[in-house]
Amino acid sequence: MVYKYDFLIIGAGVAGMSYALKIARGLAAKDAAAGAKEPQHRICMICKTSLDEANTSFAQGGVASVTNFSVDTFDKHIADTLIAGDYISDRQAVEQVVRMAPEQIRELVQWGVNFDRKENGDFDLHREGGHSEFRILHHADDTGAEIQRGLMEAVRACPYIEVKENHFAVEIITQHHLGVRVTRRSPNIQCYGAYVLNTGKSGKSGKSGAVDTYLAKCTVMCTGGCGAVYLTTSNPVIATGDGIAMVYRAKGTVADMEFVQFHPTVLHNPNETHPAYLITEAMRGYGGILKLPNGETFMEKYDERLSLAPRDIVARAIDKEMKIHGLDHVCLDVTHKNAEETRRHFPNIYQKCLSMGIDITQDYIPVRPAAHYMCGGIKVDLNGQTSIERLYALGECSCTGLHGGNRLASNSLIEAVVYAETAARHSLEHVDLYDFNERVPEWNDEGTMTNEEKVLITQSVKEVNQIMANYVGIVRSDLRLHRAWDRLDMLYEETERLFKRVKASRDICELRNMINVGYLITRWALERKECRGLHFTTDYPQHAYDKKR
């Protein structure tokens, strides 16, 4: 079946939903000016599971923005971001996000997002590692969930937006699908939409499993991150790097894939790995102290900022201490803080730990690092445009240049909303210049069979997780990276052969994407011959991060 939409949004986190709402606002203004009584353009948002299962909802800490101008400034936020990024961020991207942030905060509030406030009505601002001022807006310790809730209500009430849950993008459509040979050097690669697998109850024959053709004038990739390629991650199991892999296969440009951020503090629980429960960095900003289980502190050996050092330094420090002492976790201590205040600021973390028999007002919290955020991704310009025409990328799947070598805490959510704004402006100006490409063929699965080899896929996913955790983790070496390359290459060949034999399914497509993303992380890590930002290699210590720089 063939569907046609002016705007096709793949993904439904803060990036996808805020972009959809901004586009709808622009279209409504156009229609009102033209005297139209019904929407004249169509927006489709597809999400691989349900609208509320996005990585956004797992973001506990908050949103970074200068709002208290009596003590904070744009220049301070810009400087903090550049320092955290190890001085390889794109300054234009940093300035754009920081300077546009307050306006986007106001819009989030207008959409119904509630941030915590003081009795006088001012925002109750937190401070996190790497920030020189208190500038983190939050909603208790579940800010992402609150943003997701507010945006979902606005999206569902919008007549311009059609949401299709349980739909999975298999590939984006380019000239390649018209029989034209496309390489990474091909000029003017264009995106005409996507092939989308219906994993729900509707399809050509009323059954799930149909791969339909979605033609679009503008396509927007908002598929989130790729933490699920690792053995332990703060991301949900659906974070398999789909958008990055699809764009790479379509010969689009990706960048900075070596910079995988490991959150230093997820709750140590072997039964919860995808996602591991996040202990927000705001807890260290609040005064939490990292300690060994015996009560000894250790951050003074690694950085003068102690427990408030940037995440990459803290994660490496914890990783080293665990290896030195043969531990499977270290601890975060907030027992010295006022118990009532702790329960009020972190109610969800308090209840989660209490369910495991840990009272954080009296007991240490067992924590360890886990894969958390991808700083690289699909390369975009200041308008969110990719190297492929008519294709935009927003949120964690994109590489704007804001984060450089390491993401400053709480910059990601505001980045998504700011780039949703610039992409919406740009695509609204250009959408009427494009037409639907009627020559696109429908998905061809002739000769394939129903996949009865799920055990192979399950085992391959486990292998990818082990490879990435053991060889492409917090500390790397050329030997480990080459071993990962060889193992991933073997899995790639096996999986591609299987993909050609069987009908498309979400599990085989996710496996392909995980292998592609694992390869990209490994390849970029091999090419960077220095320690920089989140990339730490034992083979090139002479270029190690210098905190005195």
Side-chain angles (χ1 to χ4, degrees):
M1 187 173 291
V2 178
Y3 297 92
K4 296 180 182 179
Y5 295 94
D6 297 280
F7 299 91
L8 175 63
I9 304 168
I10 303 173
V14 61
M17 287 197 289
S18 56
Y19 174 83
L21 290 168
K22 291 169 183 291
I23 288 291
R25 179 187 60 200
L27 294 178
K30 277 187 176 183
D31 290 348
K37 296 182 179 179
E38 298 290 335
Q40 300 300 298
H41 293 75
R42 304 180 69 200
I43 305 170
C44 179
M45 177 185 296
I46 66 171
C47 43
K48 65 195 288 188
T49 53
S50 60
L51 190 58
D52 57 354
E53 189 177 356
N55 213 13
T56 298
S57 62
F58 292 86
Q60 293 178 340
V63 185
S65 175
V66 177
T67 56
N68 185 5
F69 287 91
S70 64
V71 295
D72 202 3
T73 66
F74 289 146
D75 286 343
K76 287 181 181 179
H77 192 179
I78 290 168
D80 291 344
T81 301
L82 293 172
I83 291 168
D86 206 357
Y87 301 96
I88 52 177
S89 300
D90 182 326
R91 190 178 181 97
Q92 281 188 294
V94 175
E95 294 210 6
Q96 173 170 280
V97 170
V98 169
R99 296 184 187 282
M100 290 180 65
E103 174 191 348
Q104 299 309 308
I105 293 295
R106 287 192 289 271
E107 187 159 39
L108 285 173
V109 172
Q110 290 171 4
W111 284 332
V113 176
N114 296 309
F115 294 110
D116 288 354
R117 295 178 183 268
K118 300 177 182 178
E119 290 183 0
N120 64 3
D122 292 342
F123 291 120
D124 178 26
L125 302 175
H126 280 184
R127 180 184 173 194
E128 297 181 352
H131 288 272
S132 57
E133 298 289 350
F134 286 76
R135 66 169 69 99
I136 311 302
L137 294 88
H138 64 95
H139 179 272
D141 57 354
D142 61 350
T143 307
E146 169 60 18
I147 292 175
Q148 191 81 1
R149 179 206 60 75
L151 294 182
M152 281 194 300
E153 289 184 7
V155 163
R156 285 178 170 141
C158 181
Y160 283 84
I161 304 170
E162 180 180 354
V163 178
K164 292 198 174 185
E165 298 178 316
N166 299 306
H167 282 67
F168 182 89
V170 177
E171 298 286 10
I172 60 171
I173 302 169
T174 66
Q175 291 98 315
H176 164 74
H177 298 95
L178 303 176
V180 178
R181 183 174 180 271
V182 176
T183 69
R184 299 202 183 281
R185 296 184 179 180
S186 298
N188 307 121
I189 304 175
Q190 293 192 332
C191 178
Y192 305 124
Y195 290 117
V196 178
L197 171 67
N198 180 355
T199 63
K201 296 181 180 180
S202 61
K204 289 182 182 178
S205 59
K207 298 179 180 179
S208 63
V211 178
D212 297 317
T213 305
Y214 281 63
L215 299 180
K217 294 179 179 178
C218 291
T219 303
V220 188
M221 199 65 74
C222 306
T223 52
C226 55
V229 304
Y230 282 90
L231 195 61
T232 304
T233 177
S234 63
N235 297 178
V237 70
I238 62 173
T240 49
D242 305 323
I244 297 171
M246 281 188 280
V247 171
Y248 178 74
R249 287 196 296 267
K251 312 304 180 186
T253 301
V254 299
D256 296 348
M257 291 295 293
E258 70 271 42
F259 297 128
V260 181
Q261 187 176 66
F262 290 81
H263 197 289
T265 55
V266 300
L267 183 62
H268 173 59
N269 181 355
N271 296 321
E272 293 183 354
T273 59
H274 290 76
Y277 190 82
L278 187 66
I279 303 299
T280 174
E281 189 162 15
M283 188 162 273
R284 287 189 285 122
Y286 168 70
I289 300 171
L290 288 164
K291 296 181 177 180
L292 297 175
N294 65 5
E296 292 181 19
T297 61
F298 57 86
M299 280 306 300
E300 61 272 12
K301 294 190 291 184
Y302 300 96
D303 196 278
E304 61 190 11
R305 289 164 289 190
L306 305 177
S307 293
L308 280 174
R311 290 177 176 179
D312 60 319
I313 296 175
V314 177
R316 283 198 297 272
I318 294 173
D319 181 70
K320 187 170 182 179
E321 290 296 315
M322 287 167 57
K323 289 174 179 174
I324 290 173
H325 299 285
L327 302 170
D328 56 9
H329 71 277
V330 296
C331 299
L332 186 62
D333 177 18
V334 292
T335 60
H336 57 286
K337 302 291 290 185
N338 178 273
E340 185 56 38
E341 187 179 9
T342 297
R343 284 190 288 266
R344 179 169 58 85
H345 277 301
F346 307 104
N348 294 290
I349 292 175
Y350 176 77
Q351 289 298 330
K352 175 65 177 179
C353 290
L354 203 60
S355 72
M356 297 172 56
I358 301 167
D359 183 343
I360 66 174
T361 66
Q362 301 178 34
D363 306 319
Y364 291 171
I365 307 169
V367 295
R368 62 170 298 142
H372 183 58
Y373 190 88
M374 168 53 73
C375 291
I378 305 161
K379 186 64 179 173
V380 299
D381 65 13
L382 293 173
N383 292 316
Q385 291 185 104
T386 73
S387 62
I388 298 175
E389 294 180 19
R390 301 168 56 162
L391 178 68
Y392 299 79
L394 307 172
E396 190 175 350
C397 72
S398 70
C399 179
T400 65
L402 170 71
H403 307 302
N406 185 12
R407 177 177 70 102
L408 180 66
S410 292
N411 265 359
S412 55
L413 292 177
I414 197 62
E415 174 197 38
V417 184
V418 166
Y419 273 83
E421 175 70 25
T422 61
R425 291 176 187 174
H426 188 272
S427 53
L428 280 168
E429 292 174 358
H430 291 79
V431 65
D432 291 330
L433 301 177
Y434 305 132
D435 292 317
F436 297 110
N437 192 322
E438 306 284 357
R439 296 184 295 119
V440 171
E442 293 192 42
W443 181 261
N444 182 9
D445 58 4
E446 184 178 351
T448 59
M449 59 184 180
T450 302
N451 183 15
E452 300 294 342
E453 298 292 352
K454 290 191 176 182
V455 65
L456 297 180
I457 296 172
T458 301
Q459 290 304 313
S460 292
V461 168
K462 290 180 179 179
E463 286 186 58
V464 173
N465 289 163
Q466 291 283 355
I467 290 167
M468 298 303 293
N470 292 331
Y471 307 135
V472 202
I474 296 173
V475 176
R476 301 162 179 175
S477 69
D478 282 355
L479 181 61
R480 297 178 196 175
L481 292 172
H482 280 294
R483 178 168 290 191
W485 183 292
D486 292 340
R487 302 297 193 274
L488 289 168
D489 185 61
M490 179 180 66
L491 284 171
Y492 170 80
E493 295 293 342
E494 292 175 352
T495 302
E496 288 303 301
R497 286 196 296 269
L498 182 59
F499 182 73
K500 292 173 183 177
R501 289 182 51 200
V502 302
K503 292 186 181 296
S505 63
R506 177 179 150 185
D507 53 3
I508 185 69
C509 291
E510 285 185 325
L511 174 59
R512 292 181 79 213
N513 295 338
M514 291 172 71
I515 293 170
N516 282 167
V517 168
Y519 157 78
L520 289 169
I521 296 170
T522 305
R523 171 184 154 190
W524 279 82
L526 278 166
E527 291 180 358
R528 184 168 286 280
K529 306 297 185 184
E530 63 176 345
C531 289
R532 198 70 181 269
L534 297 162
H535 174 66
F536 190 88
T537 171
T538 58
D539 286 300
Y540 304 97
Q542 67 271 27
H543 297 293
Y545 183 90
D546 179 4
K547 66 184 179 183
K548 296 179 182 179
R549 181 175 6 225

